[in-house]
């Protein structure tokens, strides 16, 4: 890939950001791959931020909303993904705290109902263990999982 000029990088990244949300780290990584100098990267990034093409808080809100609602991820998995995108700790916590437990429960319950039907186990204990393991792999916290799995009556679970 040929090296881009500072202006070409800005135009490419601003067009990219106009189409979808991106975080600062993603834009910096692209510029690094284009072999822009660190000073040029800083100037381009400063311009993208000042013109509101890039906003990590806005990105984090959109990311969390998409991952929770469409990918059905739990809090831990979303938090880890945001950490990998180098989103600031305070922004991560603020955005994740905006999602209430009821939303996680409304996503996890139907998933566990479906999983319960397709999971083979010799006892309820083993079945619940498998369901808990499945929910944890999706990034849900144990307190949310307990609210969905520890149900004495199957009729209550299906509600």
């Amino acid at each position: 890939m040929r090296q881009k000029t500072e202006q070409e990088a800005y135009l490419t990244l601003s067009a990219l950001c106009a189409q979808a949300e991106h975080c600062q780290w993603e834009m910096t990584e692209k510029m690094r791959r284009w072999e822009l100098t660190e000073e040029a990267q800083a100037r381009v990034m400063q311009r993208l931020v000042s013109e509101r093409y890039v906003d990590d808080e806005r990105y984090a809100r959109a990311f969390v909303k998409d991952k929770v609602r469409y990918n059905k991820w739990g809090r831990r998995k979303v938090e880890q993904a945001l950490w990998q995108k180098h989103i600031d700790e305070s922004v991560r916590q603020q955005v994740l705290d905006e999602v209430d437990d009821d939303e996680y429960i409304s996503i996890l319950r139907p998933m566990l109902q479906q999983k319960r039907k397709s999971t083979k186990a010799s006892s309820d204990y083993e079945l619940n263990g498998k369901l808990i393991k499945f929910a944890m792999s999706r990034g849900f916290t144990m307190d949310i999982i307990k609210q969905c799995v520890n149900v004495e009556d199957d009729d209550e679970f299906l509600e």
Side-chain angles (χ1 to χ4, degrees), residues 3-6 9 31-32 34-38 40-41 44:
Q3 190 173 356
K4 289 189 181 249
T5 66
E6 190 173 327
M31 289 187 283
R32 188 185 57 75
W34 295 334
E35 299 175 0
L36 248 60
T37 65
E38 291 203 16
Q41 287 180 30
V44 170

Side-chain angles (χ1 to χ4, degrees), residues 62-77:
F63 185 85
V64 168
K65 184 178 130 196
D66 286 353
K67 295 303 178 189
V68 169
R69 291 193 183 144
Y70 302 117
N71 294 32
K72 300 183 184 336
W73 285 7
R75 180 184 173 97
R76 295 289 302 137
K77 194 167 184 171

Side-chain angles (χ1 to χ4, degrees), residues 112 114-121 126-127 130-131:
L112 289 178
Q114 203 60 35
K115 188 70 173 171
R116 182 177 284 260
K117 292 175 187 174
S118 66
T119 303
K120 295 187 179 358
E126 184 183 348
L127 178 63
K130 288 181 177 184
L131 292 175

